[in-house]
Amino acid sequence: MRRLLPVTDETAAPAEADREWGLDELAEAYAYPPAVEGPAAGSTGPTGPEPWLRANMVSTLDGAAQHDGRSQSISSAADMRIFGTLRALADVVMVGAETVRQEGYRPARAREEFAVRRAAAGQGPAPAIAVVSASLDLDFSLPLFTSPLLPTLLLTGAAAPPDRVAAAEKAGARVVIAGDGTGVDPARAVRALAGLGMRRILTEGGPRLLGQLVAAGVLDELCLTVSPMLTVGDAQRIAGGPQVAVPKRFELTSLLEEAGFLFSRYRRT
């Protein structure tokens, strides 16, 4: 892996330019802003640092976020190392219900390599998973609900079907109301997670959820892997939904490369 941006003395050193980075190096490269550090997952109350919402997505050269409905085939070993690192740094992973169904989501696991770092940050052994779903049409017999290290959260609206709410709670999930109707208000969802002490928030999409977060103006950072592949087809982009009135402007703050894959990091200006 090579660092292309920001430019440093290391960037210009050929002997050190292209090598596999360790997990500690990746964790430092993707650390949350210092202002986010503070009460971590498990604390309660509205006080404390503001939440930071980052997204992690992958796209081919021609803009496809998936191939045959899944992202794994356009990913790489380095991309998966970064995927795991971003999860290990987060208090909570927010994901859309359709992505849970398509990707076969499982509970986040504790990783020994990050145990000391998480303990020092006041975090538990693994991030919680928060599923955004209006209908709660989910299979509550899956491991995501039956055997997580932390109870899986369900972000839904106040008008969610009562029988599905009851089924979710019976399965051990924690239902969090983040909308007045049947849907979820993205800004309210972020505030709800922050109110639970989960301020380091990672979303892995899918495209519809990411589009809603962008439109609501609550996305702080995008970690985008550009895969050196062309798929053609009609796959979704990384974000979908109605066009925003004014394009959202983000600034490139970091760029890594390995085996033709580009790992970019953009922050909201």
Side-chain angles (χ1 to χ4, degrees), residues 58-140:
V58 59
S59 170
T60 63
L61 296 175
D62 51 347
Q66 304 162 339
H67 184 62
D68 288 338
R70 304 190 67 177
S71 60
Q72 184 175 1
S73 59
I74 62 173
S75 181
S76 70
D79 186 43
M80 295 309 297
R81 290 200 305 274
I82 291 173
F83 173 91
T85 299
L86 293 179
R87 278 196 162 200
L89 296 175
D91 296 327
V92 60
V93 179
M94 180 165 56
V95 63
E98 185 61 23
T99 298
V100 167
R101 289 187 283 263
Q102 289 186 353
E103 301 278 355
Y105 258 62
R106 300 182 63 85
R109 61 188 178 91
R111 298 185 60 185
E112 184 178 351
E113 304 95 322
F114 294 99
V116 172
R117 184 180 293 272
R118 288 188 66 86
Q123 297 171 302
I129 303 293
V131 182
V132 178
S133 176
S135 67
L136 301 183
D137 181 17
L138 296 157
D139 183 354
F140 296 124

Side-chain angles (χ1 to χ4, degrees), residues 32 36 39-54 90-96 127-132 150-156 174-179 184-204 209 213 218:
Y32 279 84
V36 185
S43 65
T44 59
T47 61
E50 288 296 311
W52 185 268
L53 173 61
R54 68 164 36 141
D91 296 327
V92 60
V93 179
M94 180 165 56
V95 63
I129 303 293
V131 182
V132 178
L150 295 172
T152 294
L153 305 174
L154 287 172
L155 297 166
T156 192
R174 180 175 184 177
V175 177
V176 178
I177 302 302
V184 173
D185 177 341
R188 186 168 166 183
V190 171
R191 291 197 302 270
L193 293 174
L196 296 173
M198 299 177 181
R199 296 183 172 87
R200 306 172 188 89
I201 306 171
L202 170 67
T203 182
E204 296 168 351
L209 174 59
L213 296 170
V218 295

Side-chain angles (χ1 to χ4, degrees), residues 154-239:
L154 287 172
L155 297 166
T156 192
D163 61 323
R164 299 306 296 164
V165 171
E169 293 177 336
K170 183 178 180 180
R174 180 175 184 177
V175 177
V176 178
I177 302 302
D180 293 328
T182 56
V184 173
D185 177 341
R188 186 168 166 183
V190 171
R191 291 197 302 270
L193 293 174
L196 296 173
M198 299 177 181
R199 296 183 172 87
R200 306 172 188 89
I201 306 171
L202 170 67
T203 182
E204 296 168 351
R208 185 170 66 173
L209 174 59
L210 181 56
Q212 292 170 346
L213 296 170
V214 171
V218 295
L219 185 69
D220 297 298
E221 178 181 336
L222 172 63
C223 298
L224 176 63
T225 297
V226 179
S227 169
M229 300 180 188
L230 294 167
T231 64
V232 196
D234 57 357
Q236 290 178 296
R237 296 158 50 189
I238 65 166

